[in-house]
């Protein structure tokens, strides 16, 4: 398990301990044991119960675990659960769309083509002048006679 996950578990445990007993009791004891046993004991996150979680600078992994806990244990009405599922699906769709745009092979090749065109436009091929050509031929005659 990586360090970020262990830190997230520490944040999750801190948040769960601030919750009402009714919410804490909904989480299976085996799952709480996993959080407790796997958390980073050195990661201490101060949580202010008067400030919304969005403003507490939590790890993304913490938010993900809390969303799953809400989905599986804290959605008391079916409509609430469906609303959360719709939100999660919409977020996943947006994320996949961003990935497609970022890593679309067609776009990658288009970018390369424009770079190549710019580089070729910047290179100038100059023909040697008439005088330079004559001097080069004379030098080649003398260098070949000396051998």
């Amino acid at each position: 398990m990586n360090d970020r996950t262990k830190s997230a578990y520490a944040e999750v445990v801190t948040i769960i301990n601030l919750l009402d007993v009714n919410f804490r009791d909904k989480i299976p004891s085996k799952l709480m044991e996993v959080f407790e046993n796997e958390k980073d004991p050195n990661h201490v996150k101060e949580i202010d119960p008067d400030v919304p979680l969005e403003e507490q600078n939590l790890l993304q992994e913490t938010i993900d675990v809390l969303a799953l806990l809400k989905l599986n244990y804290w959605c008391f009405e079916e409509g609430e659960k469906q609303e959360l599922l719709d939100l999660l699906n919409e977020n996943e769709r947006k994320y996949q769309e961003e990935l497609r745009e970022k890593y679309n092979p067609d776009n990658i090749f288009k970018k390369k083509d424009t770079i190549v065109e710019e580089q070729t436009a910047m290179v100038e091929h100059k023909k040697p002048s008439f005088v330079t050509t004559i001097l080069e031929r004379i030098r080649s005659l003398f260098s070949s006679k000396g051998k």
Side-chain angles (χ1 to χ4, degrees):
M1 184 172 303
N2 68 38
D3 292 340
R4 284 185 62 90
T5 303
K6 290 181 178 200
S7 296
Y9 285 172
E11 292 180 2
V12 167
V13 168
T14 302
I15 292 168
I16 290 172
N17 288 333
L18 293 173
L19 295 175
D20 186 68
V21 174
N22 294 330
F23 285 98
R24 279 185 289 188
D25 289 345
K26 298 280 184 194
I27 301 171
S29 57
K30 293 221 180 230
L31 183 57
M32 280 303 297
E33 285 178 30
V34 170
F35 292 151
E36 288 287 349
N37 293 336
E38 296 297 327
K39 73 179 184 179
D40 179 357
N42 299 321
H43 184 84
V44 178
K45 178 72 175 178
E46 294 296 323
I47 304 294
D48 185 352
D50 298 324
V51 177
L53 287 178
E54 298 88 25
E55 299 173 15
Q56 304 253 2
N57 199 23
L58 299 171
L59 294 170
Q60 182 60 47
E61 289 84 348
T62 303
I63 295 167
D64 295 342
V65 170
L66 291 173
L68 287 174
L69 289 174
K70 179 174 172 91
L71 181 67
N72 292 319
Y73 306 110
W74 298 329
C75 285
F76 302 115
E77 298 174 11
E78 189 58 37
E80 184 181 10
K81 191 171 192 173
Q82 188 57 49
E83 191 176 310
L84 181 57
L85 281 171
D86 291 343
L87 179 64
L88 293 173
N89 286 332
E90 179 63 20
N91 286 344
E92 180 63 20
R93 186 192 62 75
K94 286 179 183 176
Y95 175 71
Q96 291 299 326
E97 190 175 294
E98 287 175 14
L99 286 179
R100 261 192 308 278
E101 286 178 24
K102 188 174 182 179
Y103 297 108
N104 184 343
D106 295 333
N107 292 342
I108 292 172
F109 293 128
K110 285 179 185 175
K111 288 179 184 175
K112 281 187 177 181
D113 289 343
T114 55
I115 292 171
V116 169
E117 287 175 19
E118 289 174 7
Q119 289 176 347
T120 21
M122 292 174 30
V123 175
E124 283 187 39
H125 297 284
K126 292 185 176 181
K127 288 186 179 180
S129 69
F130 178 72
V131 175
T132 308
T133 307
I134 298 291
L135 288 175
E136 288 298 321
R137 286 189 182 181
I138 293 172
R139 277 189 208 140
S140 68
L141 288 174
F142 284 115
S143 63
S144 63
K145 285 187 177 181
K147 291 184 181 178

